[in-house]
Amino acid sequence: MFSTIQEFTSKYPAESLQSDLLQLQTLGSEMVPKLMQSAPAVSQRAVSHILSNCLLPTVEDYGFGAIQYRLPFIMMLGMVMESSPLEDESGGPELEELAGHFADFLIGSVKEFHKWQGDESFPDLSAACQAFLGPSKRARKVLREKNEEELLETVRWQQKMMHQMINVKDDEEVVVMSLLDNKGAVVKISGISDNYALQILLAGALIQPDGFSLPEGGKKPSEKIIRVAKGLSNDCSSTWVGIWNLENWTTDLNSNECNLPDYKQWVWGEGEPGDIAFFRGRRVLILKGSKAMNRGIPTTRTFSNLLSEVEVIKYLSQAEFDELLNQMKNPTEKEKKEALKFVAFKCNLSADE
């Protein structure tokens, strides 16, 4: 193998890596795994060099083949990220730059996907997204800063797991309103990919002596389940019965009961925190149910390397809760129309349904 990065780059200069897809395929299947077995420091720099130069050409330049041949390198990058994630100072600017290359690759791949009109033979990028984005908030931040959320949203129904990963929210504040005991809280969520995990972590954080009340017949999730939801454990043998129905502020706010006719306003467990509608600049989540919902909540992890958290920032005063609830009951026509359009889009419904 190579004892120095210079030895490697002299054999595989950037220009050849960028232009020769056959060489990319050979390196991906043979060379990169061997390289990872050499001295860790040399391996990280060498693999970073390969990936940087393999990701630099735009997908538009090389099309479908470039996506297929680059996937092995992205998986190798996942191994690099596991050993030195961007949060770790040893990752340095080199890996930060790679985050930008990966974001461009992903955006280009989605555009190429639409050119193929969602052809089933198109590569599934879910594992690549998990490998690269899962371990690092900073990598996810770089992707968000590309401001291509509308484009990336278009693959929600064709590549669901990829969509879940690229839409993970970090350090985002959500207002949570419990209609059971007329209390509200501002929480900060990070690393949560689905609303099943969100409900578990909300229950763990908010069901407290000075916090929200348990609906009749409900039980707070155990510490074991909470640890799994946070990504701190892989022990998924436990089960939990959900206690709330999660709904958007466009629901009937005069009732604490979960009503089937309002299902179009629900925040579905299979969905993502990004499905929670905004009200005047903040996402607002409504918790309903005087009795526990008696609905099984999966406690398995969707992404094993994704750390998740719900942090309570503050509880609303009664005056703040009452004022916000009254505002949501009396929105402007424009606010209600835009929110209903958002909810319909997230549920794959027409705005008139």
Side-chain angles (χ1 to χ4, degrees):
M1 291 305 296
F2 308 100
S3 58
T4 66
I5 189 65
Q6 289 79 12
E7 185 179 341
F8 177 84
T9 53
S10 65
K11 184 168 183 178
Y12 297 103
E15 294 77 12
S16 66
L17 287 173
Q18 291 177 18
S19 61
D20 189 341
L21 289 181
L22 181 60
Q23 189 174 53
L24 286 184
Q25 188 179 32
T26 301
L27 281 172
S29 60
E30 299 177 5
M31 189 62 68
V32 176
K34 294 178 182 178
L35 195 63
M36 290 299 296
Q37 296 172 9
S38 63
V42 174
S43 297
Q44 181 172 303
R45 292 197 303 273
V47 173
S48 297
H49 165 79
I50 298 172
L51 286 161
S52 181
N53 289 299
C54 289
L55 293 174
L56 274 175
T58 63
V59 174
E60 287 84 349
D61 290 339
Y62 294 98
F64 182 79
I67 298 172
Q68 288 181 308
Y69 296 150
R70 287 172 182 170
L71 287 179
F73 299 97
I74 294 171
M75 300 310 296
M76 288 302 106
L77 178 58
M79 296 174 64
V80 174
M81 295 289 289
E82 289 283 4
S83 62
S84 182
L86 292 179
E87 281 74 19
D88 187 340
E89 289 185 4
S90 64
E94 189 174 51
L95 289 183
E96 183 97 22
E97 184 179 2
L98 277 174
H101 295 331
F102 177 77
D104 290 336
F105 163 78
L106 186 60
I107 291 165
S109 296
V110 172
K111 291 178 180 177
E112 189 71 16
F113 176 81
H114 288 298
K115 289 180 184 177
W116 281 64
Q117 298 181 336
D119 191 308
E120 291 183 0
S121 65
F122 196 87
D124 186 347
L125 303 177
S126 301
C129 288
Q130 178 178 352
F132 189 90
L133 300 174
S136 177
K137 277 188 180 182
R138 285 170 65 188
R140 299 194 293 269
K141 182 172 183 288
V142 169
L143 177 59
R144 284 193 293 270
E145 289 173 346
K146 295 290 182 177
N147 295 317
E148 291 284 3
E149 184 175 353
E150 185 174 340
L151 170 68
L152 297 175
E153 183 71 25
T154 60
V155 297
R156 174 170 187 150
W157 307 108
Q158 296 96 334
Q159 297 212 11
K160 186 176 186 298
M161 289 187 67
M162 180 185 87
H163 181 272
Q164 277 188 295
M165 176 56 78
I166 62 182
N167 280 278
V168 165
K169 308 302 178 187
D170 290 306
D171 301 320
E172 182 158 339
E173 291 190 1
V174 178
V175 181
V176 184
M177 307 276 280
S178 168
L179 299 189
L180 172 63
D181 41 14
N182 290 323
K183 284 187 176 182
V186 179
V187 302
K188 183 166 66 175
I189 64 173
S190 292
I192 300 175
S193 63
D194 62 77
N195 294 324
Y196 288 129
L198 176 63
Q199 180 165 176
I200 292 171
L201 294 176
L202 283 174
L206 292 172
I207 302 297
Q208 304 291 344
D210 57 347
F212 290 7
S213 302
L214 267 173
E216 181 183 339
K219 292 183 179 181
K220 185 176 177 179
S222 67
E223 286 302 315
K224 177 187 289 187
I225 291 174
I226 292 172
R227 283 181 58 81
V228 171
K230 287 182 175 182
L232 302 176
S233 169
N234 291 320
D235 183 354
C236 303
S237 58
S238 301
T239 58
W240 182 59
V241 177
I243 55 176
W244 298 303
N245 203 57
L246 278 54
E247 304 188 21
N248 275 304
W249 68 266
T250 47
T251 189
D252 179 7
L253 295 173
N254 293 306
S255 170
N256 178 43
E257 300 307 319
C258 170
N259 297 311
L260 188 58
D262 290 334
Y263 77 92
K264 295 168 188 172
Q265 313 310 321
W266 293 0
V267 178
W268 294 89
E270 298 89 345
E272 307 150 8
D275 298 345
I276 302 170
F278 288 92
F279 181 77
R280 299 184 183 176
R282 298 188 295 181
R283 295 188 194 272
V284 180
L285 179 65
I286 306 299
L287 307 182
K288 279 193 176 186
S290 57
K291 296 183 179 180
M293 297 308 299
N294 196 28
R295 183 182 301 148
I297 300 293
T299 60
T300 54
R301 296 280 299 167
T302 303
F303 302 107
S304 59
N305 61 351
L306 184 65
L307 296 179
S308 308
E309 184 179 16
V310 167
E311 177 187 355
V312 179
I313 303 301
K314 71 166 203 171
Y315 286 97
L316 301 183
S317 67
Q318 196 59 55
E320 289 174 321
F321 177 91
D322 293 341
E323 180 181 11
L324 179 56
L325 187 62
N326 183 60
Q327 289 173 347
M328 292 190 297
K329 287 181 177 180
N330 300 281
T332 66
E333 184 176 343
K334 181 180 178 181
E335 287 173 333
K336 188 66 176 283
K337 184 177 180 180
E338 289 182 350
L340 288 173
K341 183 179 178 181
F342 173 90
V343 172
F345 174 74
K346 291 293 187 176
C347 292
N348 202 26
L349 302 170
S350 71
D352 297 327
E353 285 188 80

